[in-house]
């Protein structure tokens, strides 16, 4: 077991799960929740429910399991590396590549490729070394990866405190009358289809900002900024407001665009801004739209308006 983390409560702090979510712990909320259930996290040396309300004088102890040596096979898979230093790698992930091994995807993932290229952080355990955040298999674009645990903690804290900027381009169905907007709708696991996410009462806070870049007959190209990072957030929110991402097989309709067969949603992580973990310098990266995305746009009929600012 790793060194124990102690948190001493000095005021009426509230639910233990809420208190933990506000601490700079470099572990996901799901992980912390699971640890409360299995006894990895104790209050005054006793297991408690997630709803337990800690009070002044309580001590929360966390004994994280030691990350096991990674047994994932390193694979010599080409990587599109946009930037690399001693702490981080920024990679441009292609559509169709899974980020880390999971059920049904034990090889051919981004992690398999990264392990062949470089040592990675161990904080996220055996199957997600180096992975600070992820994008869906059929979403393309920029992803930041930690090469050591110090960098991982820094990048995780940047995500938590919204210091990172993540900008996506999405082609969605339907035409927008507004030029910009914000979707604030909580997201959680779908109550019937447990493989999907949905906007549900009591879900986790989810905030998505969008701005119209270009209008087309029947479609709109959006710039989307994430304030939070829930699973499938953009896809769920766009479907929720009646504008599903084109080509989305889960939250949208058929994977076709006016007769063109698509291999997944037209969603691209285009811009990423972060602080270099050691120097604190701001780094910003941009990834051009993939050729298939550009081709899809070229087949549409533009609706020209002065405020539309999309440029290649």
């Amino acid at each position: 077991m790793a060194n124990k983390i102690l948190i001493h409560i000095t005021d009426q702090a509230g639910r233990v799960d809420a208190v933990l979510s506000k601490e700079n712990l470099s572990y996901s909320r799901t992980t912390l929740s699971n640890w409360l259930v299995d006894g990895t996290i104790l209050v005054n040396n006793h297991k408690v429910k997630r709803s337990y309300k800690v009070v002044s004088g309580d001590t929360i102890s966390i004994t994280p399991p030691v990350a096991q040596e990674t047994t994932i096979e390193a694979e010599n898979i080409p990587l599109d590396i946009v930037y690399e230093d001693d702490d981080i790698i920024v990679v441009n992930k292609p559509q169709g590549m899974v980020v880390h091994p999971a059920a049904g995807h034990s090889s051919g993932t981004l992690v398999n490729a990264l392990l062949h290229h470089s040592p990675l952080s161990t904080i996220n355990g055996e199957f997600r070394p180096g992975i600070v955040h992820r994008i869906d298999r059929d979403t393309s674009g920029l992803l930041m990866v930690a090469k050591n645990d110090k960098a991982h903690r820094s990048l995780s804290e940047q995500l938590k405190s919204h210091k990172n900027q993540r900008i996506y381009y999405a082609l969605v169905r339907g035409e927008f009358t507004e030029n910009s907007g914000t979707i604030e709708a909580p997201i959680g696991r779908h109550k019937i289809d447990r493989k999907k996410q949905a906007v549900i009462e009591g879900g986790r806070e989810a905030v998505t900002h969008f701005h119209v870049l270009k209008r087309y007959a029947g479609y709109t190209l959006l710039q989307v900024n994430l304030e939070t990072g829930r699973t499938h957030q953009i896809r769920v929110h766009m479907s929720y407001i009646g504008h599903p991402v084109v080509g989305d097989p889960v939250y949208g309709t058929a994977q076709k665009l006016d007769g063109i067969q698509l291999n997944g949603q037209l969603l691209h992580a285009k811009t990423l801004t972060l602080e270099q973990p050691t120097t604190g310098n701001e780094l910003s990266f941009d990834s051009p739209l993939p050729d298939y995305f550009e081709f899809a746009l070229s087949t549409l009929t533009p609706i020209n308006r002065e405020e539309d600012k999309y440029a290649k």
Side-chain angles (χ1 to χ4, degrees):
M1 302 291 277
N3 292 331
K4 186 178 292 186
I5 301 169
L6 298 178
I7 302 170
H8 300 289
I9 306 302
T10 58
D11 56 16
Q12 303 297 111
R15 285 176 57 122
V16 63
D17 56 355
V19 170
L20 289 169
S21 70
K22 296 175 182 176
E23 294 288 329
N24 181 19
L25 294 173
S26 299
Y27 299 108
S28 72
R29 183 170 174 174
T30 299
T31 296
L32 293 171
S33 181
N34 291 337
W35 284 355
L36 279 166
V37 172
D38 67 21
T40 299
I41 297 177
L42 303 174
V43 178
N44 303 326
N45 293 320
H46 295 285
K47 280 183 64 173
V48 297
K49 295 181 178 179
R50 287 169 284 190
S51 59
Y52 174 83
K53 293 184 178 180
V54 294
V55 297
S56 179
D58 281 349
T59 297
I60 302 172
S61 60
I62 308 172
T63 310
V66 174
Q68 299 178 356
E69 183 178 350
T70 300
T71 57
I72 302 170
E73 183 180 353
E75 298 179 51
N76 187 9
I77 301 171
L79 288 169
D80 182 4
I81 295 176
V82 177
Y83 174 83
E84 182 176 8
D85 60 27
D86 291 340
D87 293 318
I88 62 173
I89 304 171
V90 176
V91 63
N92 190 25
K93 186 190 82 67
Q95 185 183 63
M97 175 178 269
V98 175
V99 170
H100 58 77
H105 298 283
S106 60
S107 64
T109 73
L110 180 65
V111 163
N112 293 105
L114 287 166
L115 285 171
H116 185 271
H117 176 78
S118 168
L120 301 174
S121 70
T122 64
I123 284 177
N124 262 342
E126 181 180 2
F127 293 104
R128 293 189 293 168
I131 301 303
V132 181
H133 68 126
R134 59 181 292 277
I135 54 179
D136 301 328
R137 178 183 65 183
D138 291 330
T139 298
S140 57
L142 297 173
L143 195 74
M144 56 186 178
V145 177
K147 297 174 72 172
N148 56 66
D149 289 357
K150 170 177 162 289
H152 195 124
R153 293 187 188 94
S154 172
L155 295 176
S156 294
E157 174 56 28
Q158 290 176 47
L159 283 172
K160 181 178 177 181
S161 60
H162 309 304
K163 290 181 180 179
N164 296 117
Q165 185 179 45
R166 292 169 291 160
I167 298 176
Y168 292 72
Y169 276 19
L171 183 68
V172 302
R173 296 187 181 275
E175 300 172 16
F176 282 70
T177 55
E178 63 269 55
N179 293 325
S180 60
T182 296
I183 307 166
E184 297 185 56
I187 291 176
R189 196 170 295 279
H190 196 286
K191 293 182 179 179
I192 298 174
D193 187 345
R194 305 301 288 174
K195 295 181 180 180
K196 295 173 62 175
Q197 302 294 307
V199 171
I200 61 170
E201 184 178 353
R204 298 178 67 186
E205 177 192 22
V207 182
T208 302
H209 306 284
F210 66 86
H211 176 77
V212 171
L213 293 171
K214 185 68 180 176
R215 291 174 167 87
Y216 300 90
Y219 302 92
T220 306
L221 179 66
L222 298 177
Q223 173 182 300
V224 183
N225 298 55
L226 288 177
E227 185 170 319
T228 55
R230 308 305 173 212
T231 301
H232 300 171
Q233 180 172 318
I234 294 174
R235 299 164 63 193
V236 172
H237 271 176
M238 289 301 148
S239 179
Y240 175 68
I241 65 171
H243 294 282
V245 178
V246 172
D248 189 335
V250 178
Y251 303 101
T253 54
Q255 288 186 271
K256 289 186 177 181
L257 175 68
D258 296 340
I260 301 173
Q261 183 64 43
L262 302 172
N263 295 318
Q265 59 269 4
L266 292 182
L267 180 62
H268 181 68
K270 194 171 192 304
T271 301
L272 174 66
T273 300
L274 57 91
E275 289 183 4
Q276 207 288 333
T278 298
T279 67
N281 293 337
E282 183 177 275
L283 303 174
S284 187
F285 308 97
D286 184 81
S287 168
L289 290 179
D291 290 343
Y292 63 84
F293 203 138
E294 291 280 15
F295 176 72
L297 294 177
S298 73
T299 67
L300 302 178
T301 302
I303 300 175
N304 294 317
R305 287 175 53 167
E306 186 177 342
E307 62 267 32
D308 296 341
K309 295 179 169 45
Y310 170 61
K312 295 182 181 180

